[in-house]
Amino acid sequence: MTLSEELQWRGFINQTTLSDITKIDGAPISFYFGVDPSGHGMQIGNLAAAMMVRHFMRHGHKAYVLIGGATGMIGDPDGKKDERNLKSLDEIEKNKAEIARQYAVVLDGQEFTIVDNYDWFKDIQYLDFLRDVGKHVPMSAMLGREFIQSRLGEHGSGISYAEFSYALIQGYDFLHLYREHGVTLQLCGADQWGNSIAGVDLIRRVEGGEAHVYSTPLVINKSTGIKFGKTEGGAVWLDPNQTSIYSFYQFWLNVDDTGVGDYLKVYTELRKDEIESVMQKFAENKAERVAQKTLAYEVTKIVHGKDAADTQVKIADALFGTRDFQGFTKSDFETLSTELPFAELDGESSYIDALTQTNLASSKTEARRLIEQGAVSCNKFYEVSSSELDITKENSLNGYVVVFKGKKHIGLVKIK
């Protein structure tokens, strides 16, 4: 499958200035992809675009990942109703370092070059920039941008000169990379199309050169119609300190049936025949959720590594599948302790204590009633009875006890 065929099959084609998309199937192209360091690392929306970049690289094209130290000082105003709060230089530096680390992981060890636009903007004189760059940018093009119109309209909040100039700065990035590295293609998300076109136009006006933009559509949750990855708890991050590996895996495990086939194409590198096989099994028995399980495993493996993905499979199957907790290590239980209601109890405690301390029961009376009704189990398959309330060492695994109230409410107890 050629690159253009694969991108079309996976749903990565949105808009492009290329007259013939098959041009990307030819000789190696130097391209760049820009990242705004206004956030601490990547969200799964960024991950979709990064997966597109992986495909370009795998087909032999040379990648430059631009981390916008200069543009990050302003923040991309596109799509924002109000002025963005400025980030401190220290925040931007930390964000740049984390983003660089994450891209090195997500791009799977493939060779790419990281560049930072602060390196060329820090020495540019203001008058020189206006004369050499600003002189070539028509105001009509900048004023015609949709978000500019909305901000300047009757009910708009207005826009500062700094944010108004953002597209000009990004356009110069493309010009600089064209001059210094022979970059002739910019990859971007659909929301960056307007900013990216500014660079194509600038290269044509200043250098008389030809450059192009290729954009990928935003991933939309078909069930809700909103941007994929937005949850009640906020964005889903790649950084495990912001979204734990457990929560990351569970997010993918619980995606909607309607969109899971599309997500497999976008967020994994499984071949067409492999995805078709998974979706056939899924269609035959949706209750088994084989598509979601495959998706969760493959994405977690890309972002956090195979060992972490294997651990999450084991945890999920023990919590929600047919597996028990035999073979769980202390490390596995420590992972669970950050995700489940958790309590530490002394060696002479009871299941009543375990239920109340993990907030599975609001009182000891309720805890006793649940046990009498047969609604409480230990380590999944051992039913707790009212005649055996004490937690014994025999019922602990590596010093831990997993307490179930029914099937869906779960707590973890560590025996001191």
Side-chain angles (χ1 to χ4, degrees):
M1 190 182 294
T2 65
L3 175 58
S4 61
E5 291 171 339
E6 182 164 18
L7 293 174
Q8 185 158 1
W9 170 69
R10 290 187 182 274
F12 280 123
I13 294 180
N14 184 55
Q15 291 175 283
T16 181
T17 57
L18 291 163
S19 58
D20 181 359
I21 191 62
T22 62
K23 289 182 178 180
I24 62 175
D25 298 329
I29 298 168
S30 292
F31 71 91
Y32 95 95
F33 179 76
V35 187
D36 179 7
S38 58
H40 185 65
M42 299 165 64
Q43 304 175 13
I44 61 172
N46 308 123
L47 178 60
M51 294 301 295
M52 176 183 67
V53 171
R54 277 175 63 132
H55 293 298
F56 272 83
M57 295 170 67
R58 190 161 47 78
H59 282 266
H61 299 305
K62 182 174 177 57
Y64 291 83
V65 175
L66 186 152
I67 301 178
T71 38
M73 295 173 68
I74 298 171
D76 184 2
D78 204 346
K80 303 294 186 296
K81 294 181 179 180
D82 300 294
E83 287 281 322
R84 298 178 61 148
N85 294 324
L86 296 178
K87 298 287 184 182
S88 70
L89 294 181
D90 185 55
E91 283 181 285
I92 293 171
E93 283 300 318
K94 289 179 180 178
N95 292 350
K96 283 161 50 178
E98 179 59 22
I99 289 169
R101 184 195 67 78
Q102 289 177 10
Y103 267 91
V105 172
V106 170
L107 296 181
D108 193 30
Q110 297 183 79
E111 185 177 347
F112 65 98
T113 302
I114 290 181
V115 292
D116 181 352
N117 59 8
Y118 183 76
D119 290 339
W120 54 84
F121 269 107
K122 68 179 186 296
D123 296 323
I124 292 179
Q125 298 295 315
Y126 179 65
L127 291 177
D128 291 338
F129 186 73
L130 289 179
R131 181 182 179 88
D132 298 336
V133 180
K135 192 70 174 175
H136 299 279
V137 180
M139 282 293 292
S140 58
M142 299 184 72
L143 286 169
R145 300 286 303 282
E146 183 178 343
F147 85 93
I148 295 288
Q149 293 292 319
S150 66
R151 293 273 287 272
L152 294 178
E154 182 179 352
H155 300 291
S157 62
I159 187 168
S160 68
Y161 178 74
E163 289 198 356
F164 178 76
S165 303
Y166 186 92
L168 180 60
I169 298 171
Q170 185 169 317
Y172 182 74
D173 288 339
F174 202 168
L175 176 62
H176 176 86
L177 293 175
Y178 174 87
R179 287 169 167 171
E180 300 298 322
H181 301 287
V183 171
T184 58
L185 177 67
Q186 180 179 359
L187 304 187
C188 66
D191 57 344
Q192 286 296 306
W193 176 258
N195 287 340
S196 302
I197 288 294
V200 171
D201 191 50
L202 193 59
I203 289 169
R204 179 180 61 81
R205 289 174 180 273
V206 175
E207 295 290 333
E210 181 180 352
H212 292 281
V213 177
Y214 179 102
S215 71
T216 184
L218 300 178
V219 183
I220 302 298
N221 184 322
K222 290 182 177 178
S223 297
T224 63
I226 63 175
K227 188 176 177 181
F228 181 66
K230 297 295 184 182
T231 68
E232 291 182 5
V236 180
W237 298 86
L238 275 58
D239 181 359
N241 294 314
Q242 297 184 89
T243 298
S244 69
I245 301 176
Y246 173 86
S247 296
F248 185 85
Y249 183 87
Q250 290 295 317
F251 170 82
W252 298 102
L253 201 60
N254 289 290
V255 299
D256 58 290
D257 290 352
T258 306
V260 66
D262 291 339
Y263 308 148
L264 279 165
K265 294 176 184 178
V266 170
Y267 288 101
T268 81
E269 284 199 327
L270 294 176
R271 299 187 311 272
K272 183 177 181 180
D273 62 309
E274 292 173 319
I275 291 177
E276 288 175 346
S277 175
V278 168
M279 293 307 294
Q280 178 62 38
K281 293 176 184 176
F282 178 64
E284 292 168 358
N285 186 356
K286 290 189 177 182
E288 286 294 318
R289 300 183 70 76
V290 65
Q292 283 88 347
K293 290 176 181 178
T294 302
L295 175 68
Y297 181 78
E298 292 296 328
V299 182
T300 304
K301 184 172 67 173
I302 288 171
V303 175
H304 297 295
K306 184 178 184 301
D307 289 346
D310 290 340
T311 295
Q312 293 306 316
V313 170
K314 180 167 66 173
I315 288 174
D317 201 22
L319 291 176
F320 311 112
T322 58
R323 183 185 188 131
D324 62 23
F325 292 90
Q326 297 292 334
F328 265 49
T329 65
K330 285 187 176 181
S331 177
D332 293 334
F333 283 118
E334 287 170 0
T335 297
L336 275 180
S337 71
T338 64
E339 305 297 340
L340 299 177
F342 177 71
E344 292 190 43
L345 302 177
D346 61 41
E348 297 181 354
S349 298
S350 69
Y351 288 105
I352 291 175
D353 298 320
L355 288 166
T356 55
Q357 291 298 309
T358 57
N359 294 317
L360 295 181
S362 59
S363 66
K364 290 186 176 182
T365 300
E366 184 190 5
R368 287 192 182 91
R369 178 176 57 78
L370 289 168
I371 292 171
E372 289 170 359
Q373 293 173 344
V376 179
S377 59
C378 159
N379 298 336
K380 195 166 188 176
F381 297 120
Y382 173 77
E383 184 177 319
V384 177
S385 70
S386 55
S387 61
E388 295 180 51
L389 292 176
D390 292 338
I391 296 177
T392 63
K393 286 185 177 180
E394 289 74 19
N395 287 336
S396 70
L397 300 170
N398 281 316
Y400 290 86
V401 174
V402 187
V403 182
F404 285 76
K405 181 179 75 172
K407 293 182 178 180
K408 295 184 178 180
H409 301 282
I410 312 166
L412 180 66
V413 171
K414 181 179 181 179
I415 308 301
K416 296 180 183 177

